[in-house]
Amino acid sequence: MPSAREQRKARLVKEAESVVNELLDWSDNTPEPNLSQIEHVVLELRKRFSEAMVREVIGAQEAKQAAIGPPCPKCGQEMRYKGQKKVTPQTWVGDVEIERGYYHCGTCKVGFFPSG
Ligand SMILES: [Zn+2]
């Protein structure tokens, strides 16, 4: 049974490998690319791998937070986990669609995504 870290590494290596394969496929099928074509492909692939890294790190944070509900930002009571919701935070690497844990405070009757 691989450790959680090994599983995370395997996911990232797999993503990196698919990016590398795509670059090589493109290179094989594009005999004489000009500089702007090369830039376009490389930036696109870099963006994809950057997003995978962001998702991986955010996913690990979420897993740590899932054990106990975070405190309500208003009243400090432990909030209840209400399931995963899709969000698309804008990061400098681009828009990364991820699932985040959503929590609800029974006292304040409001829902929050924990900060992060
Ligand atoms: Zn509250």
Side-chain angles (χ1 to χ4, degrees), residues 8-107:
R8 295 177 68 198
K9 187 178 169 185
R11 274 198 296 273
L12 285 171
V13 167
K14 204 175 141 201
E15 190 70 35
E17 204 179 346
S18 101
V19 163
V20 168
N21 280 332
E22 215 167 291
L23 179 68
L24 294 178
D25 286 348
W26 177 82
S27 181
D28 286 346
N29 293 315
T30 315
E32 287 178 36
N34 63 33
L35 190 56
S36 86
Q37 284 175 304
I38 295 169
E39 280 175 343
H40 178 79
V41 166
V42 168
L43 285 175
E44 205 40 51
L45 292 173
R46 186 183 75 173
K47 181 168 180 281
R48 244 184 48 206
F49 189 58
S50 300
E51 288 169 359
M53 288 193 288
V54 170
R55 273 197 304 273
E56 190 59 45
V57 174
I58 292 176
Q61 269 181 7
E62 295 287 307
K64 276 184 226 151
Q65 286 171 355
I68 185 164
C72 171
K74 283 188 171 175
C75 71
Q77 298 255 19
E78 186 186 335
M79 296 191 292
R80 276 190 40 218
Y81 179 67
K82 300 294 276 185
Q84 296 293 108
K85 279 196 182 184
K86 272 212 173 86
V87 290
T88 310
Q90 293 189 343
T91 69
W92 66 267
V93 298
D95 296 351
V96 186
E97 187 176 86
I98 48 166
E99 300 232 303
R100 297 205 56 199
Y102 185 70
Y103 293 82
H104 187 263
C105 175
T107 310

